[in-house]
Amino acid sequence: MYHKNKLTKVLSLTLALAFSATALNAQAKTFKVAVGDGAGGTQHELGKKFSAELKERTGNKHKAKLFLNGQLGSEQDTVNDAAIGTLDFSILAINNVTPFSPSVGILTLPYMIQSLDDAVALTQGEVGKELVENTIRDAGVRIIGWAYSGFRVLTNSKRPITTLEDLQGVVVRVPKNEIMIDTYKAWGINPTPMAWSETFTALQQRVVDGQDNPYITNYAMKFDEVQKYITNIRYLFSIEPLIVSEAVFQDQKPAVQKAILEAGEAATQHSAAWLKDQEANIKKELASRGMEISDPANGEKEWIEKAKTAVWPKYIDSIGGKDKLNKVLMSLGREGV
């Protein structure tokens, strides 16, 4: 009788373990992560770190597969796809989130962010938490991580540019983002809105003369092959969030949700350190490849005055009002408007 009961218990335990293993395997998932940029850039680095952290924190049960160079659609398309739950994750420029959640535009006001420290303070502080909630509400996606790419410097194939007068007659590609479009209009030109996936070909074929992106992105996308000149404008510090479909996120068990959030946080910390480590070397590498680098004249004073005067008042309401703007400015140790 003893041996029979013992055998029954062993069989029951074996069946239970087999069932548990099957259940875990059934729950295991490889998430798809859309990445707008190519290999070697900030988005790719954030994605790699997130993937490694997610795998470790879920005991290898859950993985994240990166699809680079816009394979899964334009950056704005991926927001739509994530919103309806047909895409799991996307890493994209913050300006491509703004059309879906206008308050995020606070991060793209020209000359709002003036350093990596500013970018970290805003995204990881109270402002960032509020923007996360707003994107869930407005767009059906949740920001779980942030990549820091540096200032969007201006590149072109026509001539060195140090003044706004030099800029006239240069056809510049910009994202389909109203704040960025209006910034260039304030500088006296009508930029050409264009999807990111079309940009390299347009530069190659001289449909447009120039574009702006951080050093790391210019390097990752090999823009030195189609661009000659760089101007170190500092109107926009490029921040690239990692978003997850809120529907997909809510469909996960609490332990997996926790792992996703922690992996996103770890990837964010890694991105800030990686930018500090890589940007100077990449700048030197682009110069060694023949790109000519210039600084704006007079400390960029004319660029700053025209952009802030024309653009900030137009978008105060959409980002949450004057009080919100002043709260953000004061959080950065600057005077309100």
Side-chain angles (χ1 to χ4, degrees):
M1 186 71 176
Y2 170 78
H3 292 295
K4 185 177 179 182
N5 288 340
K6 185 176 181 181
L7 180 60
T8 301
K9 288 179 180 179
V10 169
L11 287 172
S12 298
L13 180 60
T14 302
L15 288 171
L17 290 171
F19 177 79
S20 297
T22 301
L24 286 173
N25 287 333
Q27 294 169 5
K29 181 176 174 64
T30 298
F31 294 105
K32 289 184 176 181
V33 184
V35 183
D37 288 353
T42 308
Q43 292 185 2
H44 185 215
E45 190 68 22
L46 182 81
K48 287 193 299 180
K49 182 63 173 177
F50 172 75
S51 178
E53 291 285 339
L54 180 65
K55 183 178 178 180
E56 180 180 340
R57 292 167 190 274
T58 60
N60 293 334
K61 291 193 292 292
H62 294 286
K63 300 177 182 178
K65 183 177 180 180
L66 307 181
F67 293 83
L68 304 177
N69 288 312
Q71 292 178 63
L72 301 185
S74 73
E75 291 193 350
Q76 288 195 15
D77 286 344
T78 66
V79 180
N80 278 319
D81 293 342
I84 61 177
T86 58
L87 175 65
D88 302 316
F89 295 87
S90 179
I91 304 172
L92 68 166
I94 190 68
N95 48 271
N96 284 317
V97 177
T98 307
F100 303 92
S101 188
S103 65
V104 177
I106 191 77
L107 300 177
T108 63
L109 283 180
Y111 301 101
M112 167 59 71
I113 296 174
Q114 298 184 0
S115 66
L116 172 60
D117 288 342
D118 282 358
V120 169
L122 291 183
T123 55
Q124 297 184 37
E126 290 303 315
V127 172
K129 291 176 183 176
E130 185 176 328
L131 295 179
V132 169
E133 294 301 319
N134 290 351
T135 57
I136 295 171
R137 179 197 67 205
D138 299 337
V141 300
R142 177 187 293 258
I143 298 171
I144 60 162
W146 304 89
Y148 306 106
S149 294
F151 289 104
R152 294 180 71 113
V153 297
L154 175 66
T155 74
N156 86 97
S157 57
K158 235 179 177 181
R159 56 176 173 263
I161 294 173
T162 61
T163 67
L164 291 182
E165 185 177 353
D166 296 333
L167 184 63
Q168 307 312 303
V170 178
V171 182
V172 180
R173 173 268 173 189
V174 294
K176 297 174 181 177
N177 175 272
E178 293 301 321
I179 293 177
M180 298 173 74
I181 291 169
D182 283 339
T183 299
Y184 275 92
K185 287 181 176 179
W187 291 335
I189 67 169
N190 286 312
T192 302
M194 183 180 293
W196 180 229
S197 58
E198 301 169 5
T199 302
F200 187 93
T201 300
L203 293 168
Q204 188 176 44
Q205 297 177 350
R206 298 295 178 93
V207 174
V208 294
D209 302 312
Q211 58 85 48
D212 66 58
N213 261 294
Y215 274 103
I216 290 173
T217 305
N218 288 316
Y219 175 75
M221 299 304 293
K222 300 182 178 179
F223 282 160
D224 58 285
E225 296 178 1
V226 291
Q227 300 279 268
K228 175 69 174 176
Y229 306 101
I230 296 177
T231 307
N232 285 323
I233 59 173
R234 299 167 66 86
Y235 85 109
L236 182 59
F237 190 99
S238 190
I239 299 174
E240 297 167 292
L242 166 60
I243 62 171
V244 60
S245 164
E246 183 64 9
V248 170
F249 182 79
Q250 293 299 336
D251 198 39
Q252 306 306 310
K253 292 185 180 300
V256 178
Q257 290 182 349
K258 183 172 182 286
I260 288 172
L261 295 175
E262 289 178 347
E265 184 177 347
T268 299
Q269 302 303 321
H270 174 74
S271 180
W274 192 77
L275 175 63
K276 290 179 180 178
D277 184 57
Q278 294 292 319
E279 188 175 47
N281 290 333
I282 286 174
K283 183 177 179 179
K284 290 177 183 177
E285 176 63 23
L286 289 174
S288 74
R289 295 182 183 185
M291 297 197 79
E292 296 181 14
I293 302 173
S294 304
D295 291 319
N298 301 318
E300 210 170 335
K301 183 179 179 181
E302 187 180 10
W303 303 66
I304 295 170
E305 288 179 351
K306 286 186 178 295
K308 290 177 71 171
T309 300
V311 179
W312 282 31
K314 185 174 181 179
Y315 291 95
I316 281 181
D317 289 341
S318 69
I319 63 171
K322 187 174 181 180
D323 289 344
K324 171 64 67 178
L325 175 59
N326 285 336
K327 183 178 178 180
V328 171
L329 288 170
M330 286 186 284
S331 74
L332 296 174
R334 306 214 298 268
E335 293 183 2
V337 296

